[in-house]
Amino acid sequence: MLYPNPTAANRALSEQWRWPHFSTRELSCRCGGRFCGGQYWHDAGFLDALEDMRARAGGPLVLTSGHRCAGWNASVGGAPLSRHKQIAADIRIAGHRRDRLLYAANGAGFTGLGLARSFLHIDRRARPARWYYPGSEKLWIQ
């Protein structure tokens, strides 16, 4: 479900929020009001998997990107059909071993995995997909 901003999401979801390590603000669009008011896309299954991934990874996950409004997605060079336009996340690699982070994402049920130099893209698409961002192939070889 799409909410216009994190405040509206917090009001609507406050009694059912069960994800202690993540907030609507960090998963909301980061366009800074240039295109939207910080839209938030709520998906309980995605958040359950994110909490599971955090547990499997053995520590905090720093999200560098969550939901993106269409304007922000275009502005940052996102794919026209980007999963970020609904719900996806990019997780900072720093502080994690790449193989463990990838194992945690797989184990938590993420099926869209984009392997980059400084982040791991995760989403939950129907048909599994894995891709390398330019220049990252050798970093992820196990």
Side-chain angles (χ1 to χ4, degrees), residues 59-139:
L61 301 178
V62 177
L63 307 183
T64 60
S65 184
H67 172 74
R68 297 179 191 153
C69 69
W72 185 241
N73 189 62
S75 179
V76 299
L81 298 177
S82 173
R83 300 288 172 159
H84 282 282
K85 289 168 66 178
Q86 289 184 355
I87 187 65
D90 294 339
I91 299 170
R92 182 177 294 145
I93 299 294
H96 295 279
R97 283 185 28 194
R98 289 174 194 279
D99 59 336
R100 287 183 123 177
L101 200 58
L102 188 56
Y103 176 81
N106 277 319
F110 289 103
T111 53
L113 301 166
L115 295 76
R117 291 173 96 49
S118 62
F119 68 91
L120 172 64
H121 168 95
I122 57 170
D123 65 52
R124 293 173 22 120
R125 58 187 67 206
R127 290 182 74 178
R130 184 180 293 197
W131 64 94
Y132 294 95
Y133 289 91
S136 67
E137 298 88 349
K138 293 180 181 174
L139 298 172

